[in-house]
């Protein structure tokens, strides 16, 4: 996320300036001190000068251009595709469709068999915007003209794209990585029945779209018997593996590179249709082919965060201590593949409840297949849970921070495992002090500033921060430099720079002597830039390789021309890790102003303070956290994919209609972190790409409640919703 957060003219004034430089992490650095020091992005100059090439810009010789044609019905079968007139158009080389496209191996998918990858394989149309043909031409303009002229007719079938929490088709998913994680400790119903105070509320979040700046793009060619792709993705190794499987190739016959990626947020974690189509066309035509998705196509082909309908029930003693926590979450998936949004996740981690239950339901609709979007499960789940906790605080007359402190768990509530570290209390204490929480008048609707009602809100944040196997190599070059090779991805996070700092410290050399080569599947397996798993996992592999290299270097008196290389693979180390729960934590604070006449909500300031382990690069870490919070603000107030029930497509499949927070929406966001030593993974690093979005929407909704006396349980908090709900003033001071 690279959102600008400079104060803008139209944003109300902000009291807090952004620091971004405070580093209080206490974990030991290995040596030369690069880790923990701010460092600008190594590729920054290349990016701002345009020298950095993204996948859609790589100039292969003899390149042909593919333009995708997508379905205009939400369900049915393709009756006919009239290719003749299009093939006669200037420059058009080929039209690929289900009757002539190469056959793909079924059952392929990074997270289990995913039929979403089976494009141009049959005449079935499972949703509006599904891939139905690729027009290939000598220029992009000719391909586009051909695609627009292609006549496709359908036998339409009735569709259902309307999600609700009481849809009759909801069922319990039956397993798998993204499947059923239902759990119950204790007897939730009995504890709820016995609780003197019960909060029982429903919350909804809409369809949300990743909206990365760089569209999905790939250039593919056959080169010396290998299928070679430059693709915009989050994990070149995993994508190469899937591409090989899909095309019945050896893993060694496929190479995927993704040197620069302009944002992803989860949408580039899996292989996407543009790459499959480019590989199909390159194979059929024996010629390099480029496919770039349009913004509109990104709204139907690269995943989305599904809408959720959640019910949270909290049973508490009068002192606020939880006796029961029940979190039910429903979401939708496509008819093609089961993806489940795990919104119960925060409830399994956050609070000590006597009895705890999380349940997940999913319904299959005639929509695109959803997928991971920044903090999947955690982001929508935290909106429901952290709103409900705010409601409980009011019910028992406790400060919302005090309520959370009273319910701090000793061990992870669902699993019973110890936390590797948990410094959430420190986040709240330091955050309250820095934000000025003590000065807050808890009465809703009590603060007015002209036509604005002003309020503040708080919420907790957490995100899993695990470690997964990766491999890396390190070469001592004859010229005195060192080269890291790892199939990591830098999707705009600063990962490349962080890894250079890690390697520099592990080798006890200056950062400028380290070159980092990333995002090439030939470098061996490494986990994708996702799940807040990347940096911690990659850094471990690099430090292991560095240790091995340093040992080798003690045995030689000179470095040969080809250098000396050491490799490391952390697979066995990761397997041997002890059973602990590991999470990044945080406290989110927001101040909002609500215009009582227009219903407009402005966020005036936000402060997020996090426990994220050892911070490698304060500059880019801060950017990740600010970006996450910005995306959370956007989720709270703006983002909403609106499905047209008639066509089954999105009404607002562009960045004019799908509003992502822009500069004028975003005040100065202050971010800091507390000491969070953590030795679970020897690098001490916790991922922080996702925790920033968690809890932000709840903090804002809680602030809107404090400002207006009205609780908003449906996101986004649009002005029409604010107007319709009224305010405490219009409602005679009565809080609802
Ligand atoms: Mo992500 S949603 O961490 O790919």
């Amino acid at each position: 996320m690279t959102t600008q957060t400079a104060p803008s003219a139209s944003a109300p004034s902000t009291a807090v300036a952004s620091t971004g430089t405070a580093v209080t992490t206490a974990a030991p650095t290995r040596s030369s001190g690069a880790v923990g020091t701010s460092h600008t992005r190594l590729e920054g100059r290349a990016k701002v000068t345009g020298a950095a090439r993204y996948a859609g810009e790589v100039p292969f010789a003899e390149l042909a251009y593919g333009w995708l044609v997508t379905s205009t019905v939400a369900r049915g079968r393709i009756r006919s595709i009239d290719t003749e007139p299009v093939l006669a158009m200037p420059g058009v080389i080929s039209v690929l469709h289900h009757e002539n496209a190469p056959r793909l191996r079924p059952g392929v998918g990074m997270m289990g068999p995913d039929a979403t990858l089976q494009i141009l394989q049959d005449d079935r149309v499972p949703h509006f915007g599904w891939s139905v043909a690729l027009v290939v031409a000598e220029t992009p303009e000719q391909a586009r003209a051909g695609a627009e002229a292609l006549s496709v007719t359908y036998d339409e079938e009735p569709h259902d794209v309307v999600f609700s929490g009481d849809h009759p088709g909801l069922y319990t998913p039956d397993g798998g990585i993204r499947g059923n994680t239902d759990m119950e400790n204790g007897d939730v119903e009995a504890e709820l029945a016995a609780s003197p105070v019960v909060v029982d509320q429903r919350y909804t979040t809409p369809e949300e779209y990743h909206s990365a700046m760089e569209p999905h793009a790939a250039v593919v060619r056959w080169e010396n018997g290998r299928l070679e792709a430059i693709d915009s993705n989050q994990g070149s190794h995993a994508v190469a593996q899937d591409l090989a499987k899909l095309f019945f190739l050896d893993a060694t016959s496929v190479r995927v590179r993704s040197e620069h990626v302009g944002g992803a947020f989860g949408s580039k974690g899996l292989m996407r249709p543009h790459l499959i189509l480019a590989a199909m066309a390159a194979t059929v035509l024996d010629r390099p082919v480029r496919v770039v998705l349009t913004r509109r196509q990104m709204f139907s082909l690269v995943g989305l965060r599904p809408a959720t309908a959640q019910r949270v029930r909290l049973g508490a003693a009068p002192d606020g201590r939880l006796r029961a926590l029940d979190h039910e979450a429903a979401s939708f998936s496509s008819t093609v593949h089961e993806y489940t949004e795990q919104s119960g996740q925060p409830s399994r981690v956050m609070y000590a409840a006597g009895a705890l239950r999380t349940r997940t339901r999913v319904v299959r609709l005639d929509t695109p297949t959803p997928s991971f979007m920044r903090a999947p499960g955690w982001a929508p789940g935290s909106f429901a849970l952290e709103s409900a906790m705010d409601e409980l605080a009011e019910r028992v007359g406790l400060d919302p921070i005090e309520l959370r402190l009273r319910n701090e768990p000793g061990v992870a509530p669902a699993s019973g495992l110890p936390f590797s570290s948990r410094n959430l209390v420190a986040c709240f204490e330091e955050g309250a002090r820095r934000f000025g929480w003590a000065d807050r008048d808890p009465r809703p609707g009590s603060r007015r500033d002209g036509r604005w009602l002003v309020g503040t809100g708080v919420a907790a944040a957490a995100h899993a921060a695990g470690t997964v196997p990766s491999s890396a190599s390190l070469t001592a070059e004859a010229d005195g430099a060192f080269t890291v090779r790892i199939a990591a991805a830098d999707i705009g996070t600063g990962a490349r720079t962080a890894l250079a700092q890690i390697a520099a410290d592990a080798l006890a050399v200056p950062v400028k002597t380290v070159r980092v080569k990333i995002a090439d599947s030939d470098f061996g397996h490494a986990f994708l830039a996702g799940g807040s798993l990347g940096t911690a996992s990659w850094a471990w592999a690099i430090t292991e390789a560095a240790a091995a290299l340093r040992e080798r270097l003690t045995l030689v008196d000179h470095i040969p021309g080809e250098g000396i290389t050491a490799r490391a693979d952390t697979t066995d180390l990761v397997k041997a890790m002890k059973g602990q729960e590991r999470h990044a934590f945080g406290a989110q604070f927001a101040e909002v102003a609500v215009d009582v006449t227009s219903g407009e909500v402005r966020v005036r300031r936000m402060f997020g303070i996090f426990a994220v382990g050892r911070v490698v690069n304060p500059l880019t870490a801060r950017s990740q956290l600010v970006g996450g919070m910005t995306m959370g603000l956007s989720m709270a107030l703006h983002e909403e994919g609106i499905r047209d029930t008639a066509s089954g497509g999105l009404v607002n499949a562009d960045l004019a209609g799908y509003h992502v927070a822009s500069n004028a929406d975003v005040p100065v966001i202050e971010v800091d972190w507390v000491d969070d030593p953590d030795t679970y993974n020897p690098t001490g690093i916790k991922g922080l790409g996702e925790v920033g979005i968690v809890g932000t929407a709840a903090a804002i909704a809680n602030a809107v409640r404090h400002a207006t006396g009205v609780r908003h349980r449906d996101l986004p908090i649009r002005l029409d919703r604010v107007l319709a709900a009224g305010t405490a003033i219009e409602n005679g001071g009565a809080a609802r």
Side-chain angles (χ1 to χ4, degrees), residues 102 220 222 227 247 249 277-287 289:
V220 180
W222 280 94
L227 189 64
F247 283 82
L249 299 167
L277 292 162
M280 280 179 167
T283 302
V284 169
L285 303 176
D286 195 18
R287 185 175 163 177
V289 175

Side-chain angles (χ1 to χ4, degrees), residues 602-621:
R602 306 288 311 177
V603 177
R604 287 193 169 186
R605 59 186 177 115
M606 289 203 291
F607 178 50
I609 181 156
F610 300 91
V612 285
R614 182 184 185 208
V615 172
V616 180
N617 184 351
L619 189 70
T620 52

Side-chain angles (χ1 to χ4, degrees), residues 67 125 175 186 191 217 302 317 320 345 403 484-485 511 569 596 652 655 726:
W67 202 280
V125 173
E191 285 300 316
V302 300
Q345 283 181 110
L403 175 69
V484 177
R485 287 185 177 80
V511 176
D569 185 325
V596 296
N652 55 341
L655 293 179

Side-chain angles (χ1 to χ4, degrees), residues 475-478 559-565:
T475 301
E477 310 286 0
I559 295 172
E562 73 276 14
I564 295 177
T565 297

Side-chain angles (χ1 to χ4, degrees), residues 247-563:
F247 283 82
F248 301 93
L249 299 167
D250 284 351
T252 53
S253 305
V254 175
R255 182 182 190 191
V256 174
R257 285 176 288 164
S258 323
E259 192 183 354
H260 297 292
V261 179
F265 311 111
S267 72
K268 295 171 183 170
L270 307 173
M271 184 164 49
R272 294 300 185 187
H274 66 283
L275 174 61
I276 303 168
L277 292 162
M280 280 179 167
T283 302
V284 169
L285 303 176
D286 195 18
R287 185 175 163 177
V289 175
R290 177 170 103 187
V291 176
V292 181
L293 296 188
T294 64
R295 179 61 57 181
R296 189 161 288 270
Q297 289 165 353
M298 290 168 72
F299 279 89
S300 70
L301 291 172
V302 300
L304 62 135
R305 194 197 302 283
T308 72
Q310 303 176 58
R311 181 185 185 192
V312 177
R313 291 191 293 168
L314 304 175
D319 67 357
R321 274 175 232 279
L322 288 170
R323 296 184 59 164
L325 194 175
D326 188 28
H327 192 158
E328 274 180 63
S331 62
F332 68 81
S333 193
S334 68
T335 60
V336 178
H337 184 65
E338 183 183 83
Y339 169 88
T340 308
E341 187 76 8
Q342 299 286 348
S343 299
Q345 283 181 110
S347 290
R348 298 198 281 270
V349 169
M350 297 312 296
Y351 303 112
L356 171 64
R357 180 167 64 187
T358 65
R359 286 178 294 176
T360 308
R361 300 289 180 274
V362 64
V363 57
R364 302 298 196 91
L365 300 177
D366 301 306
T367 60
T369 305
S371 72
F372 330 103
M373 178 166 149
R374 203 175 200 169
W378 296 92
S382 68
F383 167 64
L385 175 64
E386 294 298 311
S387 294
M389 286 296 280
D390 204 62
E391 303 204 38
L392 178 61
E394 278 189 33
R395 288 283 302 281
V396 296
L398 265 187
D399 179 85
I401 294 178
E402 177 56 30
L403 175 69
R404 287 172 173 86
L405 300 184
R406 276 189 198 178
N407 286 290
E408 262 291 290
V411 294
S415 68
L417 292 171
F419 288 106
S420 63
S421 59
R422 181 175 166 115
N423 286 300
L424 179 60
V425 172
C427 292
F428 273 117
E429 286 172 349
E430 177 70 2
R433 193 179 65 71
R434 298 265 295 272
F435 188 77
W437 190 256
D439 304 334
R440 180 186 195 246
D441 180 340
R443 289 170 305 154
S446 57
R447 196 170 146 205
R448 202 167 171 135
D449 174 11
R451 68 180 204 271
W452 302 94
L453 288 173
V454 181
T456 52
V458 71
H463 194 277
T467 305
V468 285
S470 282
S471 64
S473 77
L474 243 171
T475 301
E477 310 286 0
D479 66 1
F482 294 87
T483 307
V484 177
R485 287 185 177 80
I486 184 164
D490 189 330
I491 56 178
T493 56
R496 179 188 276 106
T497 311
L499 296 181
Q501 293 174 261
I502 293 285
D505 274 12
L507 293 164
V509 301
V511 176
K512 65 177 190 302
T513 64
V514 178
R515 299 179 199 126
V516 179
K517 295 190 180 300
I518 61 168
D520 182 337
S521 60
D522 278 1
F523 295 160
H525 80 93
F527 194 73
L528 51 94
S532 297
L533 292 157
T535 303
S537 304
W538 304 325
W540 195 0
I542 288 171
T543 53
E544 291 295 324
L549 182 63
R550 288 180 74 168
E551 225 176 279
R552 301 250 326 256
L553 291 178
T554 60
L555 305 174
V556 297
D557 47 22
H558 84 286
I559 295 172
E562 73 276 14

